[in-house]
């Protein structure tokens, strides 16, 4: 079975499939575009959630980054492919009606007649060129996804080496030196692989360089999973048309990334996306204004911009740094084994409940770190662990404000931190609100 590719019958089958591949291309592109447009918003919401939660979850962030990048590449390339295939089908239909281009019938001047005949050429040549564009774009679409995956895998390997061998390890440990050597090998190999990639295989052409480069090439073919798509790469490299089109798409992608960052600036003094303050009321600091599925509290928020109830809710998003600071102020809470990170519900079945006193000490420490002021008046707070409607983890408290005057007020959330062995108080958020009781 593995030798079938050498048989004439198999080659004829491939030639026939090659001629009819456009139907499969359009079918796959149509289903893929529909699925991608359905999946992209969900991935964006998930990415926004992890960014707002500040949970420093490298593993999930890398997966989401790959998924979003792959979706973006697929959507752009497949839409371009469908557009060109539609143009190709239209050209075929027009050829059936009117045949080739008859430049004599156009009755242009000699100058334009000769120029168009040389530059535009025959209609069949145009159809063949469209066919080449469509086939190469369809193939390179999935190759680019593997490139993105390769980059993320390399970054992931570097992160794993640092975490396992170099994080909180002393230079007395043998594992530290092994980690340093391994990190140097990966970084050097990454640079050599990148140079070989952008020079279209220059390091493979020189005899003495290729001998030194081969171990890196072999290792990175496993790390980047390039053994899965290597035949596609070399098939592109031995085709001038495919190589030129591949290089042309790179500046196109860079331009698209740049274009997505553009926005219209309406003012010389405000950009309308800055954080809340005395003169700015950013909607991200008000929980009832986060109406879009991708809107999440990034740090601190109150329940509403206009308060009519005799109380106000303050919510602080939980992140790893908050817990690290709690350990600084209360070292007795720091466990011997840090179990934060990826875990399984199955593996946590046998883990006993945490002592309620430790939980109380944890919240007491948190309450000693954070304080809330309204118009320079300090209010007593009692933060507890809670969740928002959108399932964001954090700490929440409610403050009575029935004695406040009507109108605008400023709420300041302050946090203690240790700086150069001194404890200072720092403003984490300043949020304006308006109080109009019912």
């Amino acid at each position: 079975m593995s030798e079938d590719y050498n048989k004439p019958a198999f080659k004829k089958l491939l030639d026939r499939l090659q001629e009819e591949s456009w139907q499969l291309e359009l079918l796959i592109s149509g289903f893929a575009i529909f699925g991608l447009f359905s999946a992209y918003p969900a991935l964006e919401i998930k990415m926004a959630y992890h960014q707002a939660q500040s949970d420093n979850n490298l593993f999930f962030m890398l997966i989401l980054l790959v998924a979003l990048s792959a979706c973006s590449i697929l959507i752009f390339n497949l839409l371009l492919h469908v557009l060109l295939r539609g143009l190709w089908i239209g050209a075929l239909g027009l050829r059936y009606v009117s045949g080739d281009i008859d430049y004599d019938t156009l009755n242009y001047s000699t100058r334009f007649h000769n120029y168009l005949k040389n530059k535009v050429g025959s209609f069949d040549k145009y159809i063949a060129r469209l066919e080449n564009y469509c086939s190469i774009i369809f193939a390179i679409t999935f190759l680019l996804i593997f490139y993105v995956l390769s980059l993320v895998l390399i970054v992931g390997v570097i992160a794993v080496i640092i975490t396992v061998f170099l994080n909180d390890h002393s230079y007395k440990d043998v594992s530290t030196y092994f980690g340093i050597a391994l990190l140097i090998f990966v970084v050097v190999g990454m640079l050599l692989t990148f140079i070989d990639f952008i020079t279209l295989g220059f390091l493979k052409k020189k005899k003495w360089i290729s001998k030194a480069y081969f171990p890196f090439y072999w290792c990175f073919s496993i790390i980047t999973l390039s053994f899965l798509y290597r035949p596609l790469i070399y098939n592109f490299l031995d085709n001038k048309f495919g190589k030129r089109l591949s290089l042309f798409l790179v500046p196109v992608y860079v331009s698209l990334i740049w274009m997505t960052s553009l926005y219209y600036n309406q003012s010389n003094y405000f950009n309308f996306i800055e954080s809340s303050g005395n003169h700015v009321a950013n909607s991200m600091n008000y929980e009832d204004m986060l109406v879009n599925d991708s809107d999440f509290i990034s740090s601190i928020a109150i329940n509403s911009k206009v308060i009519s109830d005799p109380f106000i809710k303050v919510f602080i998003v939980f992140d790893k740094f908050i817990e690290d600071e709690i350990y600084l102020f209360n070292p007795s809470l720091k466990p011997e084994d840090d179990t934060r990170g990826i875990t399984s519900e199955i593996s946590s079945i046998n883990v006993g409940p945490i002592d309620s006193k430790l939980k109380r000490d944890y919240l007491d420490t948190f309450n000693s770190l954070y304080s809330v002021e309204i118009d320079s008046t300090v209010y007593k707070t009692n933060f507890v662990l809670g969740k928002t409607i959108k399932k964001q983890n954090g700490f929440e408290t409610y403050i009575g404000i029935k004695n406040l005057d009507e109108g605008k007020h400023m709420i300041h959330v302050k946090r203690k931190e240790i700086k150069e062995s001194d404890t200072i108080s720092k403003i984490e958020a300043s949020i304006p609100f308006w109080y109009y009781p019912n």
Side-chain angles (χ1 to χ4, degrees), residues 322-331 333 362 365-366 369:
I322 289 178
E323 191 152 301
D324 290 338
E325 287 191 338
I326 288 175
Y327 294 157
L328 287 176
F329 282 87
N330 192 344
L333 289 172
Y362 186 102
T365 305
F366 179 88
L369 295 181

Side-chain angles (χ1 to χ4, degrees), residues 312-421:
I312 188 170
K313 174 188 174 183
V314 180
F315 187 88
I316 300 175
V317 177
F318 181 90
D319 63 44
K320 177 177 178 291
F321 299 110
I322 289 178
E323 191 152 301
D324 290 338
E325 287 191 338
I326 288 175
Y327 294 157
L328 287 176
F329 282 87
N330 192 344
S332 63
L333 289 172
K334 187 173 184 179
E336 294 182 2
D337 296 323
D338 196 333
T339 58
R340 290 177 295 181
I342 301 171
T343 187
S344 168
E345 293 181 357
I346 297 174
S347 62
S348 60
I349 292 176
N350 297 325
V351 178
I354 299 174
D355 188 356
S356 60
K357 182 181 181 303
L358 292 176
K359 292 182 179 180
R360 187 168 61 252
D361 291 344
Y362 186 102
L363 288 173
D364 288 343
T365 305
F366 179 88
N367 279 286
S368 67
L369 295 181
Y370 284 85
S371 61
V372 177
E373 295 180 2
I374 299 179
D375 301 333
S376 72
T377 302
V378 180
Y379 282 71
K380 182 177 177 57
T381 58
N382 186 16
F383 283 96
V384 297
L385 201 66
K387 282 181 181 286
T388 64
I389 297 175
K390 295 186 176 182
K391 307 300 182 183
Q392 276 189 274
N393 299 321
F395 303 89
E396 62 181 34
T397 190
Y398 292 83
I399 300 170
I401 56 172
K402 63 180 180 180
N403 295 323
L404 285 180
D405 297 330
E406 291 186 353
K408 178 188 173 185
H409 299 274
M410 289 293 299
I411 184 168
H412 306 281
V413 180
K414 293 185 176 181
R415 174 178 61 87
K416 292 180 181 178
E417 66 175 27
I418 298 175
K419 190 171 184 179
E420 297 178 357
S421 70

Side-chain angles (χ1 to χ4, degrees), residues 70-88:
C71 278
S72 301
I73 292 171
L74 280 171
I75 288 172
F76 173 78
N77 279 25
L78 292 178
L79 285 175
L80 180 61
H81 170 260
V82 170
L83 178 65
L84 291 178
R85 271 297 175 196
L87 186 61
W88 177 77

Side-chain angles (χ1 to χ4, degrees), residues 164-180:
V164 174
F165 296 103
L166 303 178
N167 194 20
D168 295 330
H169 285 243
S170 67
Y171 287 99
K172 295 180 181 180
D173 299 330
V174 177
S175 60
T176 302
Y177 294 96
F178 177 76
I180 292 172

